[in-house]
Each structure stands twice: as C-alpha cells, then as structure tokens.
Amino acid sequence: MSDVQRRSATITLRYDDDKQKVIVVDAGEDRFVFSVAEAVRACRVYDQLGIVRFRGQFESLLDYLGDWLAKHKEHVSKAVLTTRDAGLLFLVCTRKPEFDEAFEDELTTLDLSVARNDDFGLIRLSVLGIPDDSPSSINCFADPDKTWTYVS
C-alpha cells in the first residue's frame, strides 16, 4: 500500500463509499481517522455552525469598511476593527478633537447599513468614533491581540 499525499489537488469523497477511510492531519501532526460518511457529516456540522459563511461575510466586511474609509479619509486619522464580547467593533479615530455632528451621522449611517445588509447577516458590528488615535485611547476599546488596523 502506498502513502499518497495531495497538496494542491481536490479530493472527492463520496458519502456511499464508507469502506474508505479519511485521515486528517492538523498543523500539530495530530491525526484523525474517519469513515467517508463521518467526514461528510463533520463537514455538514461545520457548515451548520456558519463558519464558512461567516468567514466570507467577514472578508466582505473588511472590504466594505475599507471602501467606506476611502470615502471619508479627510475625517479619519486611524481606524481599527476589533473583537468585543457582543461581536465586532469598528473604532474610527477622527482627525478633529471636537465633536462633528455631520460625521457622527455618517458613522451612524455606516452602523445601520451593515446591520441592515443581508450580506452581513452573521456579523454583529458596532461603530464608534473617538477623537484620539493614541495607542492608550484605542486600547481602552480594542483587544491588541485581535485587532485589524486600516492603513491609508
């Protein structure tokens, strides 16, 4: 029997081919052995958790927020996306230290547009503007280990 490893090819598993076994090796070299039927069921559970759909929505959200920032760059000194207990936080640091009602309305519009967009149905996002882009101010709201910083 030969040991076949495929790195770039697609492998097709048929549910009814239950005599075949699937070996999955993770990054830590742990090995998991499943029947094909068990592997298919595991994929269904994975998809039911919404992980694949969430990842796609998250990547689209990154682009959506980047596009929004490009349109509002005259008002923004820095922006980060971070995790929070209830979801994600898009933290926008404004260029001006004083309150700008028109820009706050833009932030509210952004918040509502993401919340109402079916393309982001699995994402819970809050939007917040602050006037200070210092690391200490940002770290009051952001988890430094789980933060994406937008660079203009």
Side-chain angles (χ1 to χ4, degrees), residues 113-138:
S113 71
V114 171
R116 293 176 177 162
N117 190 329
D118 290 338
D119 292 341
F120 305 127
L122 296 175
I123 294 175
R124 300 293 165 253
L125 178 75
S126 298
V127 177
L128 178 65
I130 62 171
D132 184 2
D133 67 359
S134 68
S136 60
S137 292
I138 291 171

Side-chain angles (χ1 to χ4, degrees), residues 5 21 25 33 36 38-39 50 61 65 70 79 99 104 109 121 129 139:
Q5 293 185 2
K21 296 292 181 190
V25 182
V33 180
V36 171
E38 289 170 327
L61 177 69
L65 296 175
F99 180 77
E104 287 296 321
T109 300
N139 288 341

Side-chain angles (χ1 to χ4, degrees), residues 71-127:
K71 293 175 187 169
H72 297 86
K73 63 184 172 186
E74 70 277 1
H75 297 286
V76 178
S77 64
K78 187 173 189 174
V80 300
L81 182 66
T82 189
T83 60
R84 299 280 301 258
D85 291 340
L88 298 173
L89 172 67
F90 185 53
L91 184 64
V92 178
C93 304
T94 60
R95 290 192 188 277
K96 297 179 184 177
E98 63 273 354
F99 180 77
D100 181 344
E101 186 174 348
F103 187 65
E104 287 296 321
D105 288 346
E106 290 292 323
L107 291 172
T108 300
T109 300
L110 172 64
D111 196 343
L112 291 172
S113 71
V114 171
R116 293 176 177 162
N117 190 329
D118 290 338
D119 292 341
F120 305 127
L122 296 175
I123 294 175
R124 300 293 165 253
L125 178 75
S126 298
V127 177

